[in-house]
Amino acid sequence: MSKRLRSSDVCADCNGPDPSWASVNRGTFICDECCSVHRSLGRHISQVRHLKHTPWPPTLLQMVETLYNNGANSIWEHSLLDPASLMSGRRKANPQDKVHPNKAEFIRAKYQMLAFVHRLPCRDDDSVTAKDLSKQLHSSVRTGNLETCLRLLSLGAQASFFHPEKGNTPLHVASKAGQILQAELLAVYGADPGTQDSNGKTPVDYARQGGHHELAERLVEIQYELTDRLAFYLCGRKPDHKNGQHFIIPQMADSSLDLSELAKAAKKKLQSLSNHLFEELAMDVYDEVDRRETDAVWLATQNHSTLVTETTVVPFLPVNPEYSSTRNQGRQKLARFNAHEFATLVIDILSDAKRRQQGSPLSSSKDNVELILKAISNQHSIESEDNDQPDYDSVASDEDADLEAAASKANRQKSLDSDLSDGPVTVQEFMEVKNALVASEAKIQQLMKASRLEKQNSTPESDYDNTPNDTDPDDMGSSRKGRQRSMLWQGDNAADVAEPHTAPSPVLPSTEDVIRKTEQITKNIQELLRAAQENKHDSYIPCSERIHIAVTEMAALFPTKPKSDMVRTSLRLLTTSAYRLQSECKKTLPGDSNPPTDIQLVTQQVIQCAYDIAKAAKQLVTITTKENNN
């Protein structure tokens, strides 16, 4: 991005300086505060990316910059430019406005309600209007005028429109003309590079035929964007499309495969879905990957004042009114899956996407990549019935109060000592949790009993895991994950079984004390992330030690037996993540490890642990602020 853009741009929604996020489908740059509102609207309204900390295909970023510099924002604020709007008291937000309700109400009106977009004269037949607009779009994409096409799309033109007389789509026209930025815009609005025209040719064919090789390669990337994004989320690599590799699927050793009846049934149901339902499920998982990755970037980039003073959590996928309530509830439930469970779902989808595209027959049970979920009963596309007791409120409203209530329920569901990390996971971790989950119920009960005894002997009054120094963190993790599955089997009240009989304490520390410790933790995490960015691996251990000290001091503020389930859950996540961070950082020490340490893999896990710590600290600030204000 040019120096001029970095130094002089203002937020499209409030005119604040130096916006650091982009709304890709709106063609605008936005500040942190406004971005928090965009995220709560959902990707169907605004697709946000960080300008520096999110990977960008160069031409996609160029497309957004071009739109922004050529007045795309005036499309969304058309009527506000009319002097009459000032007379009526209508105005856009400004940097000094509060996020809630001022900025939030303006942004919802601007993008969700399209309250300021130029309206065409009404006609009796809306379909004719949409068809006319789509035909105009079809003609316009052969030029480089992006803002004209965005304006047509904002009015209802269809990016995937098939022209009945011309026998092709706008993307065919843009590809033939070599208009790569138009192709990016059309793809953002749903155009498919694999669509055939009346001659049986795709946009990729026309790009190659016209010698537009960069465009042809980019169209292939767009065609595989969903599976590429899922693969990159898991292993940080993308397929080599130029050489004919279109899928990457992490492979597992046969000994780690789950041959249980649950896994077989879940896999069979996934494979038996119609292509339409499978595509819906894959798109929902894609949106959840985007939510988790954006949340990770969000936590890593916010300064402590924003982190601890604004309610900017997006706890699950926002409601899309175009989807059924069943599908929306299923999308929300994806947030409940911990990193390992979610990774198995992603791998199953990648495997079946490859099978479906290649027309391969169903795989045998030996080739099964397990779906370690309560998939049969919980996954909306796999199970045709709703649960009797849904985990979230009915998805009729996206108002803040409803989001807060649903977030509270989501946090309670996540409280069963699970590893709540949202970042990418490695195959090694995948295999570790697999070995824990296939253990018998008797073994799990033994682990739970041993863990309770150990906790009572070492920290008898503690309700969260201050793991003794001589405890192997990996053993702790396996036990914890085994316990999670056992508790899921037993029901929601299992977390209260065999707890120490210490009276719960309702007293929480002051919000000021928690904020101060959170600032200290955040400062140390930012130092660690800078070291990771600059490949200063020898800084990992001292950084992790400082983080561990700050976490210990933070945890010491709270009662040894907090009354609140959410407080206990957040403290568990905070302390166990700090111990896991220390364990990961120690892997950078030179030694006789066999095989040698993969420093990139370690860095990935270090960053993941840091995100988990930041998330837990943020949760504790939110909880104490709310409780102390009551």
Side-chain angles (χ1 to χ4, degrees), residues 98-118:
K98 292 182 179 181
V99 178
H100 299 284
N102 305 75
K103 289 184 178 180
E105 288 179 355
F106 172 74
I107 291 169
R108 286 195 182 102
K110 179 178 176 180
Y111 298 110
Q112 192 171 40
M113 309 306 295
L114 300 179
F116 315 123
V117 169
H118 174 63

Side-chain angles (χ1 to χ4, degrees), residues 120 123-136 161:
L120 292 176
R123 294 191 186 181
D124 294 334
D125 187 354
D126 290 338
S127 64
V128 174
T129 302
K131 186 175 181 180
D132 290 343
L133 290 168
S134 298
K135 285 186 175 181
Q136 291 182 48
F161 172 72

Side-chain angles (χ1 to χ4, degrees), residues 230-525:
L230 299 189
F232 190 83
Y233 172 77
L234 287 184
C235 61
R237 293 186 295 119
K238 290 185 177 180
D240 184 2
H241 296 293
K242 290 182 182 179
N243 293 317
Q245 181 194 32
H246 297 311
F247 293 90
I248 290 180
I249 302 172
Q251 297 299 312
M252 310 281 283
D254 284 349
S255 61
S256 70
L257 297 179
D258 183 7
L259 301 179
S260 68
E261 292 306 312
L262 173 63
K264 290 179 184 178
K267 181 70 173 181
K268 185 176 180 181
K269 283 180 174 286
L270 181 68
Q271 291 177 333
S272 65
L273 290 176
S274 67
N275 286 338
H276 174 70
L277 288 177
F278 178 78
E279 287 172 3
E280 283 190 353
L281 174 59
M283 288 189 290
D284 293 345
V285 171
Y286 176 96
D287 286 352
E288 176 65 13
V289 165
D290 181 83
R291 185 195 69 82
R292 293 185 182 215
E293 289 187 333
T294 303
D295 198 48
V297 174
W298 182 264
L299 288 171
T301 57
Q302 299 308 294
N303 60 48
H304 60 258
S305 60
T306 303
L307 177 69
V308 301
T309 60
E310 296 292 351
T311 306
T312 57
V313 176
V314 181
F316 47 78
L317 290 174
V319 172
N320 185 338
E322 295 183 3
Y323 297 159
S324 67
S325 60
T326 302
R327 184 175 179 185
N328 274 310
Q329 287 173 355
R331 285 163 57 85
Q332 290 179 353
K333 288 177 184 178
L334 291 172
R336 289 183 53 196
F337 299 167
N338 65 33
H340 306 290
E341 294 169 331
F342 190 60
T344 49
L345 176 58
V346 170
I347 287 179
D348 264 351
I349 287 175
L350 285 170
S351 302
D352 217 48
K354 180 179 179 180
R355 178 188 67 80
R356 288 169 187 258
Q357 195 209 48
Q358 296 179 347
S360 303
L362 293 179
S363 56
S364 65
S365 59
K366 182 179 180 181
D367 298 322
N368 176 57
V369 182
E370 62 279 66
L371 196 62
I372 314 172
L373 322 158
K374 294 187 294 179
I376 296 177
S377 60
N378 279 348
Q379 187 56 38
H380 76 284
S381 291
I382 297 178
E383 185 70 57
S384 59
E385 298 177 351
D386 284 332
N387 292 330
D388 292 335
Q389 297 179 336
D391 301 285
Y392 299 92
D393 293 329
S394 68
V395 286
S397 169
D398 63 350
E399 294 300 318
D400 291 338
D402 294 329
L403 282 172
E404 184 176 349
S408 174
K409 289 192 177 186
N411 285 331
R412 287 198 296 272
Q413 288 294 334
K414 284 184 171 182
S415 69
L416 302 179
D417 282 341
S418 60
D419 180 356
L420 300 183
S421 58
D422 283 344
V425 295
T426 65
V427 173
Q428 287 87 339
E429 279 190 305
F430 205 175
M431 293 173 64
E432 176 192 345
V433 73
K434 182 66 227 144
N435 291 334
L437 290 175
V438 299
S440 66
E441 179 66 10
K443 176 63 176 175
I444 292 171
Q445 293 291 352
Q446 290 175 3
L447 289 171
M448 290 174 64
K449 183 177 180 180
S451 176
R452 287 197 297 270
L453 289 173
E454 182 180 9
K455 184 160 57 176
Q456 290 169 355
N457 290 335
S458 59
T459 54
E461 295 181 359
S462 177
D463 189 58
Y464 46 88
D465 295 334
N466 281 325
T467 312
N469 291 332
D470 57 352
T471 301
D472 185 343
D474 291 336
D475 292 342
M476 176 191 72
S478 297
S479 173
R480 183 170 69 247
K481 290 155 189 151
R483 288 172 60 189
Q484 179 200 0
R485 189 182 195 195
S486 173
M487 290 178 178
L488 288 173
W489 285 335
Q490 293 173 20
D492 291 343
N493 295 325
D496 298 327
V497 175
E499 290 284 355
H501 294 293
T502 310
S505 173
V507 181
L508 293 177
S510 70
T511 303
E512 291 74 17
D513 286 345
V514 177
I515 289 176
R516 189 172 65 253
K517 292 301 181 184
T518 299
E519 291 174 350
Q520 185 178 350
I521 292 171
T522 303
K523 180 180 177 181
N524 290 322
I525 286 176

